[in-house]
Each structure stands twice: as structure tokens, then as C-alpha cells.
Amino acid sequence: MSDSEEEGSGSKKMTRRDWDDPCWDHHFGMDDSSAGGPYTTRGRTDAVWKTLQAYGFKKSEDKKKAFDGLVPTACFEHFVRENVKKVGKILEDGQIEGNTVSELAKRIRSSHQIKYLEEPVQKAIDDEDDMELVTHALSTEDIRRDGSNDDKESGYYTDLFYSFCREAVEQSTCTWHCRVCKGCKDWRDWHCKGCNTCKYGSSIPCDKCNAKEYASWRRNCGW
């Protein structure tokens, strides 16, 4: 009997080990999706807020939400939280030494990822205000500009953001930041809440927390 069937009343009965079915949980409830979300207000000190605001993020007056508008990526906020602890890394205006708005804007515009975009979008990014460009690149909304009501064509959209972990512009559809492991990961990686580590394989169960299912997957794949 295969892993994808079991004894039934004269017919095959599918079990949770139907590895070819994309509609069921291959991680058996162990995927911690919250690990890929932004930080909470816990640990967001005055020093952290000063630096976040120096890069264009606005503190909300509404106590139900932290930000007014764009929200920083977990990658950027982790970088901020680490640097505010270091002596001499934060400049008087709150920006981070070696990663000021102007330096990041230059780095972003020179990225090969930008060169792959259509020429009108490249030009729009070149003409974009440094702060506007950088704030979006460090936000969960990616590098983009919404067109105005009078000129919809002035807007552009990308799936690009700046990763401090990789010191490069990355695609949000291919790269995500694990807040628990404190690093940017490949889209195939996922965070297991059982062993609290990131695992490879969007459809592969954890080899530690789901050993039987992992063995079943290996047999199905011929490993």
C-alpha cells in the first residue's frame, strides 16, 4: 500500500500523505507564518523610533496601529534595532552610518534588479526623490509609486525591496525575512514552530518534528 492510500471499503481512500496534492498542508501545522511578518511595538524604543522616522516612517497617533502609512520590513527594522545598540553607528539625524538615505538611494538605483525593469520604470526610479524611493524600498509595500488621479500613468509598481541581510535589492516574491531567525530567506524556506528553525522546502515536512512524514516524502521522491 502506498503512502497516498489506505484500506477502504473496496476503494482507495486518500490520506494526508498525498504528496502531489497542493491543497493540503505539507508542513502538518508546523509552519509559523507569523515569522515572516513585521515586528511588533515590543522593543521599539525611542532610539529605534528616531531612526525609523529618519527613513520616512511615520508614527501613528492612533493607538490601534503603530505606523501612519508605510510599515518597515522586518529586515530593515532588525537592522535598525541592532545598530542603535552600537556606539557611534547612529548619526545625529537618526540615520545609520554607511547607510544614509542618499547612500541607499544610490545603491538601489545601481542594482542589477533595477536594470531589468522596463525603461519608463527605470527612468521614474532615477527621477524619484531619494527619501520617497528609500522609504518604499525599506517598506512592506516594495518600490512603487501610485499614479495620481489626473495622471495614472505616472505610477509604477515593482516587487523589489532592499535587503540589509544580503546588502542588495531583492524580489519580495522570491525572498522573505524571518524575524525569528533574523535573516532573509529563499521563498522555498519556511519556519518550523516545533524546532524553531527555518527549513528548506515549500512542500517538505520538518525532518525533526514530523520524522514519519519526512520519511514518507523521501520514499515518494525516491531518496
Side-chain angles (χ1 to χ4, degrees):
M1 182 174 63
S2 73
D3 291 320
S4 61
E5 60 184 72
E6 63 182 20
E7 293 292 341
S9 56
S11 62
K12 292 182 179 180
K13 180 180 178 182
M14 303 307 292
T15 73
R16 64 178 184 171
R17 294 190 180 90
D18 181 11
W19 297 107
D20 295 324
D21 184 356
C23 298
W24 59 276
D25 182 10
H26 291 73
H27 300 144
F28 300 91
M30 302 306 290
D31 188 357
D32 183 4
S33 58
S34 66
Y39 277 90
T40 63
T41 54
R42 182 183 300 176
R44 202 171 279 149
T45 63
D46 289 342
V48 170
W49 264 117
K50 181 179 179 180
T51 296
L52 291 176
Q53 290 173 317
Y55 288 86
F57 295 98
K58 302 174 182 178
K59 191 173 185 178
S60 175
E61 295 182 359
D62 184 349
K63 293 183 179 180
K64 294 181 179 180
K65 61 180 183 178
F67 296 93
D68 181 10
L70 297 175
V71 176
T73 62
C75 178
F76 175 50
E77 185 155 353
H78 170 66
F79 188 72
V80 171
R81 293 187 181 205
E82 289 299 304
N83 276 275
V84 297
K85 302 174 186 175
K86 301 175 183 177
V87 178
K89 287 297 293 183
I90 306 301
L91 305 176
E92 289 186 7
D93 62 359
Q95 295 187 44
I96 302 170
E97 182 181 30
N99 290 279
T100 63
V101 169
S102 60
E103 289 171 319
L104 286 173
K106 183 178 180 180
R107 211 174 296 160
I108 291 167
R109 291 188 177 104
S110 63
S111 168
H112 71 280
Q113 297 277 15
I114 302 297
K115 306 305 179 186
Y116 292 150
L117 301 174
E118 295 181 356
E119 288 188 14
V121 177
Q122 290 186 43
K123 185 179 185 307
I125 291 175
D126 285 338
D127 296 340
E128 191 71 88
D129 173 75
D130 282 358
M131 180 64 83
E132 190 73 16
L133 174 62
V134 170
T135 304
H136 273 84
L138 304 181
S139 80
T140 56
E141 296 294 319
D142 299 331
I143 298 174
R144 57 182 289 178
R145 183 207 294 159
D146 293 324
S148 64
N149 290 330
D150 297 329
D151 185 10
K152 293 291 186 182
E153 293 185 0
S154 63
Y156 64 86
Y157 304 90
T158 77
D159 64 347
L160 304 176
F161 75 101
Y162 186 81
S163 166
F164 287 91
C165 298
R166 300 182 177 180
E167 299 183 338
V169 173
E170 297 284 340
Q171 291 178 277
S172 60
T173 49
C174 298
T175 304
W176 64 283
H177 183 90
C178 180
R179 194 180 64 257
V180 180
C181 295
K182 298 179 173 57
C184 282
K185 306 291 181 177
D186 183 84
W187 70 270
R188 300 173 187 84
D189 295 336
W190 59 283
H191 189 83
C192 178
K193 57 188 176 185
C195 55
N196 205 32
T197 56
C198 279
K199 297 290 185 176
Y200 177 82
S202 58
S203 61
I204 304 175
C206 179
D207 57 332
K208 292 183 179 180
C209 301
N210 295 103
K212 290 183 178 180
E213 287 78 7
Y214 179 75
S216 173
W217 171 80
R218 289 193 62 173
R219 286 195 301 273
N220 185 75
C221 295
W223 280 28

